[in-house]
């Protein structure tokens, strides 16, 4: 066997493995619903500041609401650690901004997290490390994955690599793109895997979670790359809710072309930016430029979503209903 043939064969095998790896199915995690079939959870984003900027006060109110709703888990919409993510999987910021802040009994449940753009400015892979789960077993952060609870499937999407300016105009920031590879193939494969999973889903409720907003009237506004590439897939696959952080606010915006409701919960700590865009839009149902979080309660027929401020007041409530049995 010639050396040139061996070299060519090795390249083909290596290329094949890369393709298999890049187009691997989204990891699926199971989380059982309550015995009555209901499910409830909290949604929080943009929070990790060692308790500052009212992070501790938001945590306190989350603990009270979590107990009242008997939550099953917590969803983090990213920007988990400021300003520049974690330096390693032994960074004290993990415990100082997470373990030592969210201490309420009701919050000692699984946390499902995605990465935000600030997380990518540090050691992004540190947040994916099993070492963190050894420090605090609640923590589970992956790039893109599915939480399957039968009643609902929650599709977590890694949105930071979609945003072109992080690659082309990073300014003084350095992004940790390890594990991403070239931007376009990464996004193409992710969207393909997501579309397949959404199409095959038989869950009563379908929720997609990402860090960046598709629609927002806050500081960052709409994310055009997600409008162009992600939104058509969501509209074609009967998604109920898209939940995100990134803008440090709470908001509820309706899609004008489908039943999708866009829900921003990115007010876990520093907020009050004061810059608002397009509040006269008819699709804006609610906007609050202050700290807070969101709760979700799902049954076979109903969804109830509430937005809370830092004092525990309910600022806005969204309800959605479905038939118990789909018509044939």
């Amino acid at each position: 066997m010639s050396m040139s043939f061996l070299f060519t064969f090795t390249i083909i095998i290596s290329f094949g493995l890369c393709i298999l790896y890049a187009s691997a199915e989204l990891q699926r995690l199971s989380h059982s619903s309550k015995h009555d079939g209901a499910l409830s959870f909290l949604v929080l984003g943009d929070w990790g500041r060692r308790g500052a900027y009212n992070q501790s006060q938001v945590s306190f109110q989350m603990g009270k609401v979590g107990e009242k709703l008997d939550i099953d888990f917590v969803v983090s919409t990213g920007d988990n650690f400021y300003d520049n993510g974690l330096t390693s999987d032994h960074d004290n910021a993990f415990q100082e901004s997470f373990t030592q802040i969210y201490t309420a009994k009701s919050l000692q449940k699984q946390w499902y997290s995605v990465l935000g753009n600030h997380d990518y400015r540090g050691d992004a892979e540190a947040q994916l490390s099993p070492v963190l789960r050894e420090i605090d077993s609640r923590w589970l952060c992956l790039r893109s994955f599915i939480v399957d609870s039968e009643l609902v499937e929650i599709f977590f999407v890694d949105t930071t690599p979609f945003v072109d300016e992080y690659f082309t105009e990073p300014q003084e920031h350095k992004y940790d793109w390890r594990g991403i590879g070239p931007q376009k193939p990464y996004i193409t494969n992710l969207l393909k895997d997501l579309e397949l999973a959404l199409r095959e889903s038989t869950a009563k409720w379908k929720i997609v979670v990402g860090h960046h907003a598709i629609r927002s009237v806050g500081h960052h506004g709409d994310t055009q790359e997600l409008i162009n590439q992600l939104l058509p897939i969501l509209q074609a696959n009967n998604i109920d809710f898209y939940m995100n952080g990134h803008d440090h606010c709470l908001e509820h915006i309706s899609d004008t072309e489908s039943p999708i409701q866009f829900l921003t919960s990115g007010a876990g700590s520093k907020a009050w930016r004061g810059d608002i865009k397009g509040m006269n839009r008819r699709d804006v149902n609610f906007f609050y430029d202050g700290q807070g979080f969101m709760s979700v309660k799902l049954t076979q027929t109903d969804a109830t979503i509430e937005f809370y401020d830092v004092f525990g007041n309910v600022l806005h409530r969204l309800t959605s209903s479905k038939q118990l049995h789909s018509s044939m």
Side-chain angles (χ1 to χ4, degrees), residues 25-198:
E25 289 184 3
L26 298 178
Q27 185 171 344
R28 184 177 294 270
L29 308 170
S30 295
H31 198 120
S32 300
S33 302
K34 294 184 177 70
H35 60 84
D36 61 356
L39 189 85
S40 57
F41 57 94
L42 303 182
V43 183
L44 177 74
D46 304 75
W47 42 268
R49 297 183 186 271
R50 292 179 166 89
Y53 294 98
N54 284 345
Q55 183 192 0
S56 294
Q57 286 86 338
V58 172
S59 169
F60 177 73
Q61 298 298 341
M62 287 175 62
K64 292 172 66 175
V65 173
E67 182 178 3
K68 177 183 175 184
L69 294 180
D70 187 21
I71 60 168
D72 296 278
F73 52 84
V74 179
V75 167
S76 172
T77 59
D79 277 3
N80 307 313
F81 302 99
Y82 282 95
D83 276 328
N84 298 308
L86 298 178
T87 58
S88 73
D89 54 16
H90 294 285
D91 191 337
N92 290 335
F94 175 71
Q95 290 172 285
E96 293 170 357
S97 291
F98 177 62
T99 302
Q100 296 170 12
I101 302 298
Y102 302 102
T103 56
K105 183 179 179 182
S106 67
L107 303 181
Q108 306 308 304
K109 305 289 176 66
Q110 191 72 66
W111 284 55
Y112 297 110
S113 305
V114 291
L115 296 170
N117 54 299
H118 282 266
D119 300 313
Y120 267 101
R121 293 176 187 174
D123 182 346
E125 295 195 345
Q127 294 191 44
L128 315 178
S129 171
V131 172
L132 296 188
R133 294 197 284 278
E134 292 174 6
I135 297 171
D136 192 323
S137 61
R138 294 178 293 170
W139 184 256
L140 202 157
C141 181
L142 301 170
R143 294 192 197 276
S144 298
F145 60 104
I146 302 169
V147 173
D148 184 353
S149 189
E150 295 185 11
L151 174 66
V152 59
E153 283 188 352
I154 307 177
F155 303 82
F156 291 79
V157 179
D158 184 19
T159 61
T160 300
F162 281 80
V163 182
D164 292 333
E165 70 175 40
Y166 299 148
F167 292 86
T168 61
E169 301 175 44
Q171 299 174 345
E172 74 276 13
H173 305 299
K174 183 172 170 42
Y175 291 86
D176 180 10
W177 297 126
R178 290 176 300 160
I180 299 299
Q183 180 193 19
K184 284 186 169 54
Y186 179 80
I187 293 171
T188 298
N189 287 322
L190 172 54
L191 290 174
K192 182 178 67 175
D193 295 339
L194 176 66
E195 184 172 23
L196 177 62
L198 289 173

